[in-house]
Amino acid sequence: MRISKDHIHDSSMNELSVHKENFDFLSNNLSKKNVDVKALIKKLSDFQVAIPSWALGAGGTRFGRFSFYGEPSSLEQKLEDVGVLHALTQTAGAVSLHIPWDVPSDYKAIKNMADELDIKFDAVNSNTFQDQKNAKESYKYGSLSNTSVAVREQAVAHNLDVIKIGNQLGSKSLTVWLADGSSFPGQNNFQTALSNTEDSLKKIYKQLPDDWKLLIEYKPYEPNFYSTVIQDWGTSFMLANACGEKAYSLVDLGHHLPNSNIEQIVSVLMLKGKLGGFHFNDSKYGDDDLTVGSIKPYALFLIFNELVYGIQNNPQNPDLAWMIDASHNIKDPLEDLIQSLEAIQEAYAKALLIDQYELRNAQLNNDVVKCQELLQDAFRTDVRPLLESARLQSGGALSPIKSYRSLDIRNELIKERGKHNIASGL
Amino acid sequence: MRISKDHIHDSSMNELSVHKENFDFLSNNLSKKNVDVKALIKKLSDFQVAIPSWALGAGGTRFGRFSFYGEPSSLEQKLEDVGVLHALTQTAGAVSLHIPWDVPSDYKAIKNMADELDIKFDAVNSNTFQDQKNAKESYKYGSLSNTSVAVREQAVAHNLDVIKIGNQLGSKSLTVWLADGSSFPGQNNFQTALSNTEDSLKKIYKQLPDDWKLLIEYKPYEPNFYSTVIQDWGTSFMLANACGEKAYSLVDLGHHLPNSNIEQIVSVLMLKGKLGGFHFNDSKYGDDDLTVGSIKPYALFLIFNELVYGIQNNPQNPDLAWMIDASHNIKDPLEDLIQSLEAIQEAYAKALLIDQYELRNAQLNNDVVKCQELLQDAFRTDVRPLLESARLQSGGALSPIKSYRSLDIRNELIKERGKHNIASGL
Amino acid sequence: MRISKDHIHDSSMNELSVHKENFDFLSNNLSKKNVDVKALIKKLSDFQVAIPSWALGAGGTRFGRFSFYGEPSSLEQKLEDVGVLHALTQTAGAVSLHIPWDVPSDYKAIKNMADELDIKFDAVNSNTFQDQKNAKESYKYGSLSNTSVAVREQAVAHNLDVIKIGNQLGSKSLTVWLADGSSFPGQNNFQTALSNTEDSLKKIYKQLPDDWKLLIEYKPYEPNFYSTVIQDWGTSFMLANACGEKAYSLVDLGHHLPNSNIEQIVSVLMLKGKLGGFHFNDSKYGDDDLTVGSIKPYALFLIFNELVYGIQNNPQNPDLAWMIDASHNIKDPLEDLIQSLEAIQEAYAKALLIDQYELRNAQLNNDVVKCQELLQDAFRTDVRPLLESARLQSGGALSPIKSYRSLDIRNELIKERGKHNIASGL
Amino acid sequence: MRISKDHIHDSSMNELSVHKENFDFLSNNLSKKNVDVKALIKKLSDFQVAIPSWALGAGGTRFGRFSFYGEPSSLEQKLEDVGVLHALTQTAGAVSLHIPWDVPSDYKAIKNMADELDIKFDAVNSNTFQDQKNAKESYKYGSLSNTSVAVREQAVAHNLDVIKIGNQLGSKSLTVWLADGSSFPGQNNFQTALSNTEDSLKKIYKQLPDDWKLLIEYKPYEPNFYSTVIQDWGTSFMLANACGEKAYSLVDLGHHLPNSNIEQIVSVLMLKGKLGGFHFNDSKYGDDDLTVGSIKPYALFLIFNELVYGIQNNPQNPDLAWMIDASHNIKDPLEDLIQSLEAIQEAYAKALLIDQYELRNAQLNNDVVKCQELLQDAFRTDVRPLLESARLQSGGALSPIKSYRSLDIRNELIKERGKHNIASGL
């Protein structure tokens, strides 16, 4: 299934004049405040977020899964879905593959298809949290941290395979999310587990192509419920330093203890030149993997404030690998991802509106009230016309959700694929 | 210190034309969506929030307190401060007194002063969490829940005194925040403590004037760090039911465990006709008592969504007693309160914009994506022109913070009162 | 697979003399403190905990499941497993069935088998959180709370079926765990969802046999990640009151927000005569479903302190339905359950050692230090000889884990059932 | 007030024979399991914990303070109190001073007094979270992190003063607890605040005597409620590395987000040779500063498991600075400290009982059940006779609390000091 630019354009026609009015009014207002609207829209257009291949089907919980109709069941169909998202939003120009779920059978064909859809292959993801069919060793008690040499070697080898696969597709980074840990006090020797992990990561790092990055995730708990080997940014940062300059920390918004100040973590990692990637989602309780911006949009804005600041002031960091990592348990996955993309762009646009010069002055004067006013002024601004404009200029939809529905895309997918396809993944 | 309407008006002159443009544009847009802008502004104007008498000076933590210049040191000066707030914002038309810190010496004079400032006396607050000078019994181990009859009687008597004082001022409700609890396992017999509390509350309730309400707060911890007698809404609700139909629960936003869904609590209390009052503040960790809307503005909006719904659909509840309960440790208390008032009005206005009819339909169709879109559409709207208009119509300032500063009010207060006044309170 | 008492006895022989020494020494010490050791052991022996039929196989997380060899795949095999547990520990004399996973094909045969194994049928559990094959309506958007009448009727009918099945087996209570809720703000109308739930529960309650209890669980989140209809004890308590005197709250230790004071909830429910059942497990982060007592044994002891107090002082409550509700992701499920049973008995024994008379006096005198000493004195006592004695007297094993291993039970089960059986359940 | 060894001895006489029986029985049992009881008791005797000078009076909360009679009001009286604690428990052989509250007027006299009482001067603590009378600069907006050079210089100078004072008393380490942070988003530039802090710490470190250590605390929140500059172990660790090899992290048990796995942090810091100090207390909600072991004794045991492991296996760490950091709001501070000391010794003794060899084997075999059994076996052992023996051998009391009461020490202190003394501090 492919959507033509014409169809998208047509689907937006009705509301174009309203958009134009709103945009002109906002643009005019912002210009009076010396905002370079054109430059801002350019930044929005340039900001591309990868879609993970495992998020295009319905997700589930340990209590079960309610499937969704028309799910993609092959890598080709997954790419098609990302293509739909990108065509509508013009901000989903990348896909992030999960191995072994998405090993291409024909690399050239897959690359061509992605090229046609204007989709890049971003970070590749390894999987050592599940046992693969016919695998010799089990990850039940850990992978890169396992006390058994054989298990660690299998896990390292798998990561090296993932690099090879990614390399053939043009990926430039490997994301390691390590589920290793323990569910009971005493189960793990923390020091052994950490040392083993460091050794394993170094072995992977050693084989990393020169223009690649190694992105190390952290997470406090789940699927282990007492300890996780890489439990927090401090551990991830320490391991990245131990590996070398191409190794970085990756922040997933859902991987923190209650009440964590994530924006400060982002800021410190950028100061130290060690922020490499970012997984977007939202949550209220744990790693809930909800739609980005659906629960705490102000926190997302504060995080983007640090990202914008870091991008402008911390050249010591690489280009970041942006990805959405959410689970779609009760919404149409594609609609859910559109809402996430919209929320990301909104937070980014608002963060770009913060008057950094005034903020710096207010901070120097300890004018706390003013600091808050400056942030809230940006956050309270309705930036939707800017997002619309960025999309329109690139050939996307004025309102992606509305176009998705008016173009009846889900039904088209069901027609093509049937109702009971099941996507591999979570 | 009093500010004249003329001064306020003059301080807003510069930005009036910009406001008018913004307001007309927004108003026009909203009208197209069938929003009755006039009625909405009327609701904003009618919404009045009480200022607690103890929040006009600098607050502190157990680690100390950095005082602020020009604090009010008498009840008269506190009223003056509320007067300033109300003059600027037109939404602070009430004060909530704390006894024994604010016992009037001349009731008539105080009432006249309040009348002149257009300020009502809202709920009165008792204090059984500190020992008063020369008190016979100590509250160290509890007050209404104490195992000692004498202590309980003293605490009940104090609450009855507070009612008497409030009655002379025109207050119509008594708020009981009970700090009672325990800091160590075994210290309290939970059942005894709860039964004693129920008995004590009933004794207070029995003396409550017919047109009064008894508002019962709950809080999970602090100043006790193992248990609190009235630890959650369930306990407060149970006690309110035990007392009778004039007893209600009071929700303080900071009095919940991490990750609580407060809006659901609000909704359930309203369904049952037992929501009586509301204390606004914001927090990231515990009962941080920060400026309203400074940390989680979307959560505040969701709470207002339930309040708006309840006000429209649940006539079983009384008019609610709204109050700000924040602590001003590092900001000018008056500026801090202005920011809180603004945040409350903003959340209220946005909640009023939610299309309840569409929302109900989307809920019935389990169109989760649409439900989210409807809430986000309202939240993303920049409602500041509506708030400005509501203030202007009532004689308030276009931008209260800017006027407060341009009118140099803090310096005027320092001139009148000196730098080292200390307000009674927290 | 059945274990004979002789085998169990033999497996304990080696350590009998050591046990006897330890027991005599402890018993002697306790007697000097006026503890009636014989009566205490009687209480331990009488305390029987139900094993849920779904916990006999390996559990998993949303990230996958590592299966365990020799899992039971039929109701008969599940009963056999409970039989093994009970034979060894003499405290697992009941099973709690989950419908539709455990519908008996031959009621009489199943009852006979249970009788032989000395196992009772405790509370039956309904399942409206998953769609059953060929079900007409889906629970994707809720069951008892659903906006659709047809879905609610299906869910009510299922619960009535469960009662019928339980009735044929001798069960006397129905446990309703309602997963209903929402994952996004706006998705649910809280008031509608609660009212629908209340109506549905009343319909079930109406058909409840006279000698049955309805046990209503609560849980703050998961599998829904924004709200749960029955989110806390207050809601459960309210619903139980609305249904009638045979309806009670059920406390699951893992179903609370971070830092909740669970023992106080237990105490208040018992005071009000509304505690009906209890699900044991342990957790560090959320509903982790870990082995009982493996993370916070002191909290478990404090909860038992309230249970013991309530059992002695609150005749308004029924006999409680005790059950373990844990998930066995990385341990042999049977060994895991043995550890849970041991931890429960330990906490119970220690709570029975608290000198309630002295505690009451210390509380009346506000001697907080003494209160703590009294609790800690009981907790610090090594009660294992008492547990051993209780087991031995009933024909159980001195050390169930050791006997389980020395009798090579898991291998026996694998021999009988094969490696790749999969138990229905979570 | 001084207590003679004779009085202490006499106060224990009554229970000596019971103790002897219990000790012999336990010692015999442990010996059979190859525990070297004598060596274990030696370790307990050698383990000395510092008492902070500010913890000898009643603590309070932001809601007030209930004072305690007979509080010490001078440094001499504080030393006396520590002397009492040490005489009774034989484990409080050090004091940790807070400057400027405890600046000696006569160093020689103070040192002599401490020598007589067998008390060492452990880490000294600076205070930049409160403004001192007549201070030129204010710490309202931060100290070592302040944007103002003058404030930072004052704060650095204060820390250098503290080192000088400590040096004259024989202290060998400086503990820096930095309250710096922000209460509102935008208030601080995180990167600037961190860089300033690093610079300031380096300036202090540069002047550190060669045989001193710099101990850097971390804390997520309070007294700032949005961010703390040194928010977690990762930040503290990074700063310690930036300063040099004499700089270490200090872990305070109350300074973590909900559900943190503190034992893992301890383990990792020890692996990296960067654990320098430890503050003991307990908590349920935040930094509650409750009696050690009163809420989560098993967590304390797990932490001691890592400490014992690290002391045995990680020579890269220095001798640790142990201190109790609790607040005594409702108990007699001396009794409260005795309970804390007892809980520390208990956890230490139990951790020493863990069979490390068996544990390592079980870990290598992924025998999770066995790992848990080994830890629980140690924890369930009643080690009180060992603690008693360690105390008796050093001339302490069999039961310090009982002796404290039978010797009527609080009344003696009141006689000497009067009721209404107030200790400086928190």
Side-chain angles (χ1 to χ4, degrees), chain D residues 165-329:
Chain D
I165 291 165
N167 217 8
Q168 295 180 65
L169 293 167
S171 290
K172 293 293 173 203
S173 50
L174 169 70
T175 297
V176 174
W177 170 54
L178 197 65
D180 292 27
S182 68
S183 278
F184 296 97
Q187 175 186 344
N188 262 9
N189 179 300
F190 294 133
Q191 298 192 352
T192 307
L194 183 59
S195 298
N196 285 344
T197 300
E198 186 174 323
D199 286 351
S200 300
L201 285 172
K202 282 178 177 168
K203 280 185 183 130
I204 296 165
Y205 183 82
K206 220 173 152 183
Q207 309 280 329
L208 202 69
D210 282 349
D211 58 347
W212 274 55
K213 291 174 287 186
L214 174 63
L215 308 178
I216 303 171
E217 280 193 68
Y218 58 90
K219 184 174 185 180
Y221 67 94
E222 198 212 19
N224 280 292
F225 293 109
Y226 169 63
S227 74
T228 300
V229 176
I230 311 180
Q231 71 166 332
D232 52 17
W233 78 268
T235 313
S236 160
F237 177 70
M238 198 167 66
L239 290 169
N241 281 326
C243 283
E245 57 181 17
K246 292 177 298 179
Y248 298 91
S249 290
L250 183 147
V251 174
D252 181 300
L253 293 182
H255 294 188
H256 299 85
L257 290 174
N259 306 339
S260 292
N261 188 320
I262 302 175
E263 51 271 32
Q264 188 175 3
I265 294 171
V266 168
S267 173
V268 170
L269 284 172
M270 293 197 90
L271 176 65
K272 298 297 170 183
K274 278 295 183 191
L275 184 64
F278 221 87
H279 285 183
F280 293 106
N281 50 57
D282 211 339
S283 55
K284 187 168 173 66
Y285 303 99
D287 188 24
D288 307 337
D289 280 338
L290 300 179
T291 318
V292 182
S294 62
I295 303 292
K296 300 177 207 148
Y298 195 58
L300 183 67
F301 162 78
L302 295 176
I303 289 163
F304 261 103
N305 178 27
E306 298 305 327
L307 290 169
V308 164
Y309 182 87
I311 289 169
Q312 287 171 359
N313 295 281
N314 305 136
Q316 57 270 40
N317 294 281
D319 284 347
L320 270 80
W322 310 105
M323 193 185 91
I324 291 168
D325 192 4
S327 180
H328 315 296
N329 301 349

Side-chain angles (χ1 to χ4, degrees), chain B residues 355-365 370-371 374:
Chain B
D355 189 329
Q356 294 289 343
Y357 177 81
E358 288 290 318
L359 181 60
R360 170 56 58 125
N361 279 340
Q363 288 167 343
L364 288 175
N365 295 325
K370 184 77 180 290
C371 294
L374 287 164

Side-chain angles (χ1 to χ4, degrees), chain B residues 141 186-187 189-192 226 228 232-233 257 260-261 263-264 267 272 306 309 314 360 363 366, chain C residues 141 186-187 189-192 198 226 228 232-233 257 260-261 263-264 267 306 309 314 360 363 366:
Chain B
Y141 302 106
Q187 176 187 342
N189 180 300
F190 295 133
Q191 299 192 352
T192 308
Y226 169 63
T228 300
D232 52 18
W233 78 268
L257 289 175
S260 292
N261 188 322
E263 51 270 33
Q264 188 174 2
S267 172
K272 298 297 169 184
E306 299 305 327
Y309 181 87
N314 306 136
R360 170 56 58 125
Q363 288 167 343
N366 294 313
Chain C
Y141 303 106
Q187 176 186 342
N189 180 300
F190 295 133
Q191 298 192 352
T192 307
E198 187 174 321
Y226 169 64
T228 300
D232 52 18
W233 78 266
L257 290 174
S260 292
N261 188 321
E263 51 271 32
Q264 187 174 3
S267 172
E306 298 305 328
Y309 182 87
N314 305 135
R360 170 55 58 123
Q363 287 167 342
N366 294 313

Side-chain angles (χ1 to χ4, degrees), chain A residues 282-350:
Chain A
D282 211 340
S283 56
K284 187 169 173 65
Y285 303 99
D287 188 25
D288 307 337
D289 279 338
L290 300 178
T291 318
V292 182
S294 64
I295 304 291
K296 300 178 207 146
Y298 194 60
L300 183 67
F301 162 77
L302 295 176
I303 288 163
F304 261 102
N305 178 26
E306 298 306 326
L307 291 169
V308 165
Y309 181 89
I311 289 169
Q312 288 170 358
N313 294 279
N314 305 136
Q316 58 269 41
N317 294 282
D319 284 348
L320 270 78
W322 310 105
M323 192 185 91
I324 291 170
D325 192 4
S327 180
H328 316 296
N329 301 349
I330 51 169
K331 290 175 181 171
D332 177 333
L334 295 180
E335 293 194 351
D336 204 341
L337 286 161
I338 289 172
Q339 290 188 311
S340 281
L341 289 163
E342 180 94 2
I344 291 169
Q345 289 270 328
E346 188 198 24
Y348 184 37
K350 289 181 173 187

Side-chain angles (χ1 to χ4, degrees), chain B residues 116-376:
Chain B
E116 281 172 42
L117 295 167
D118 190 23
I119 292 167
K120 298 215 170 65
F121 290 94
D122 207 322
V124 277
N125 302 272
S126 57
N127 177 338
T128 62
F129 55 90
Q130 292 176 323
D131 286 344
Q132 303 308 327
K133 232 180 162 174
N134 303 322
K136 220 173 141 187
E137 307 291 336
S138 167
Y139 298 134
K140 185 171 187 174
Y141 302 106
S143 59
L144 298 181
S145 77
N146 204 300
T147 52
S148 147
V149 178
V151 178
R152 296 204 299 275
E153 282 177 353
Q154 176 180 297
V156 168
H158 166 66
N159 274 282
L160 298 179
D161 281 348
V162 173
I163 294 174
K164 272 180 216 147
I165 291 166
N167 217 10
Q168 296 179 66
L169 293 167
S171 290
K172 293 291 174 207
S173 49
L174 168 70
T175 296
V176 174
W177 170 53
L178 196 64
D180 292 27
S182 67
S183 278
F184 296 97
Q187 176 187 342
N188 262 9
N189 180 300
F190 295 133
Q191 299 192 352
T192 308
L194 183 59
S195 299
N196 285 344
T197 300
E198 187 174 322
D199 286 349
S200 300
L201 285 172
K202 282 177 177 169
K203 282 187 180 127
I204 296 165
Y205 183 83
K206 221 174 151 183
Q207 309 281 328
L208 203 68
D210 282 349
D211 58 348
W212 273 55
K213 292 174 288 185
L214 174 63
L215 308 177
I216 304 171
E217 280 194 68
Y218 58 90
K219 184 175 184 179
Y221 67 96
E222 198 211 20
N224 280 292
F225 294 108
Y226 169 63
S227 74
T228 300
V229 176
I230 310 179
Q231 70 166 334
D232 52 18
W233 78 268
T235 313
S236 159
F237 177 70
M238 198 166 68
L239 290 169
N241 281 327
C243 283
E245 57 180 19
K246 293 178 298 180
Y248 298 92
S249 290
L250 183 147
V251 174
D252 181 300
L253 294 181
H255 293 189
H256 299 85
L257 289 175
N259 306 338
S260 292
N261 188 322
I262 302 175
E263 51 270 33
Q264 188 174 2
I265 294 171
V266 168
S267 172
V268 170
L269 284 171
M270 292 196 91
L271 176 65
K272 298 297 169 184
K274 277 295 183 190
L275 184 64
F278 221 87
H279 285 184
F280 293 106
N281 50 56
D282 211 339
S283 56
K284 187 170 174 63
Y285 304 99
D287 188 24
D288 307 337
D289 279 338
L290 300 179
T291 318
V292 182
S294 63
I295 303 292
K296 300 177 207 145
Y298 194 59
L300 183 66
F301 162 77
L302 295 175
I303 289 163
F304 262 102
N305 178 26
E306 299 305 327
L307 291 169
V308 164
Y309 181 87
I311 289 169
Q312 288 170 359
N313 295 281
N314 306 136
Q316 57 270 43
N317 295 281
D319 284 347
L320 271 78
W322 310 105
M323 191 185 91
I324 291 170
D325 192 4
S327 179
H328 315 295
N329 301 349
I330 51 170
K331 290 177 181 170
D332 178 332
L334 295 181
E335 294 194 351
D336 204 342
L337 287 161
I338 290 172
Q339 290 188 312
S340 281
L341 289 163
E342 181 92 5
I344 291 169
Q345 289 270 328
E346 189 198 24
Y348 184 38
K350 289 181 172 185
L352 287 168
L353 286 182
I354 297 170
D355 189 329
Q356 294 289 343
Y357 177 81
E358 288 290 318
L359 181 60
R360 170 56 58 125
N361 279 340
Q363 288 167 343
L364 288 175
N365 295 325
N366 294 313
D367 187 346
V368 184
V369 167
K370 184 77 180 290
C371 294
Q372 180 176 321
E373 292 282 305
L374 287 164
L375 262 61
Q376 289 186 332

Side-chain angles (χ1 to χ4, degrees), chain D residues 142-169:
Chain D
S143 58
L144 297 180
S145 77
N146 204 299
T147 51
S148 146
V149 179
V151 178
R152 295 204 299 274
E153 282 177 351
Q154 177 180 297
V156 168
H158 167 66
N159 274 282
L160 297 179
D161 281 348
V162 173
I163 293 175
K164 271 179 216 148
I165 291 165
N167 217 8
Q168 295 180 65
L169 293 167

Side-chain angles (χ1 to χ4, degrees), chain A residues 236-293:
Chain A
S236 159
F237 177 70
M238 199 166 66
L239 290 169
N241 281 326
C243 284
E245 56 181 18
K246 293 177 297 181
Y248 298 91
S249 290
L250 184 148
V251 174
D252 181 300
L253 293 182
H255 294 189
H256 299 86
L257 290 174
N259 305 339
S260 292
N261 187 321
I262 302 175
E263 50 271 32
Q264 187 174 3
I265 292 171
V266 167
S267 173
V268 170
L269 283 171
M270 293 197 90
L271 176 66
K272 299 296 170 183
K274 277 295 181 191
L275 185 64
F278 221 87
H279 285 182
F280 293 106
N281 50 57
D282 211 340
S283 56
K284 187 169 173 65
Y285 303 99
D287 188 25
D288 307 337
D289 279 338
L290 300 178
T291 318
V292 182

